[in-house]
Amino acid sequence: MDRRGVLAGAVGTALAVALRPAAAATLPRTETTESAIRRFAGDNPIRPGRVTLDLPPLVENGNTVPLTVAVESAMTPEDYVRRIGVFNERNPQPNVVTVHLRPGAGRAQVSTRIRLADTQRITAIAEMSDGTYWSASADAIVTLAACLEG
């Protein structure tokens, strides 16, 4: 292989990597983030607090992003977290995951890995047994996007 072949390959690779995040932003969305949150919480007010969202602020690879959501709750039959929803702004589907909990869970904490299509804000919302909703948000800067179609 000569120098021109190596240079053409390097330029092609750099171009493909540079264009991937832009392509992720153009994927069609099934619904808006706001409508997904309203489907989760209805018209109930969502207050900040009681929820902790642990997400790395800088993500090198959007294909596997660690995420932990914890909610302040005694997890007793009188005071527990019914469910936790995680939502995003830029993936093709705004509802990342919904987890249902019961008082016997012991702790209101879930950990998983998610895919992120691009730099965006992630929001976690907890529905409590008394019908209140609490939330936290975090921003993640993604250098190599995921959720790209072929």
Side-chain angles (χ1 to χ4, degrees):
M1 185 175 264
D2 63 359
R3 282 189 225 162
R4 287 184 185 169
V6 171
L7 183 59
V11 168
T13 301
L15 214 86
V17 169
L19 293 177
R20 284 184 75 165
T26 63
L27 288 176
R29 297 231 1 169
T30 56
E31 67 179 325
T32 66
T33 303
E34 183 62 31
S35 65
I37 289 172
R38 285 296 138 212
R39 197 166 31 83
F40 179 83
D43 291 329
N44 296 301
I46 301 170
R47 297 178 231 163
R50 292 188 73 172
V51 177
T52 303
L53 177 59
D54 186 18
L55 176 77
L58 180 62
V59 177
E60 289 185 25
N61 184 346
N63 285 306
T64 177
V65 181
L67 170 106
T68 299
V69 180
V71 184
E72 295 173 22
S73 172
M75 292 305 285
T76 63
E78 298 78 33
D79 176 20
Y80 66 96
V81 179
R82 285 187 185 149
R83 58 189 179 140
I84 299 170
V86 178
F87 304 90
N88 67 77
E89 293 179 331
R90 311 263 326 236
N91 284 8
Q93 297 180 354
N95 187 340
V96 176
V97 66
T98 300
V99 178
H100 296 265
L101 302 171
R102 292 194 259 172
R107 231 173 30 173
Q109 180 175 328
V110 293
S111 294
T112 189
R113 293 186 179 273
I114 63 172
R115 296 179 75 182
L116 294 178
D118 205 349
T119 297
Q120 60 187 298
R121 176 169 285 244
I122 306 299
T123 301
I125 300 173
E127 177 188 2
M128 307 302 288
S129 58
D130 65 0
T132 60
Y133 289 83
W134 299 87
S135 72
S137 294
D139 294 319
I141 298 171
V142 178
T143 58
L144 179 61
C147 303
L148 300 174
E149 291 184 358

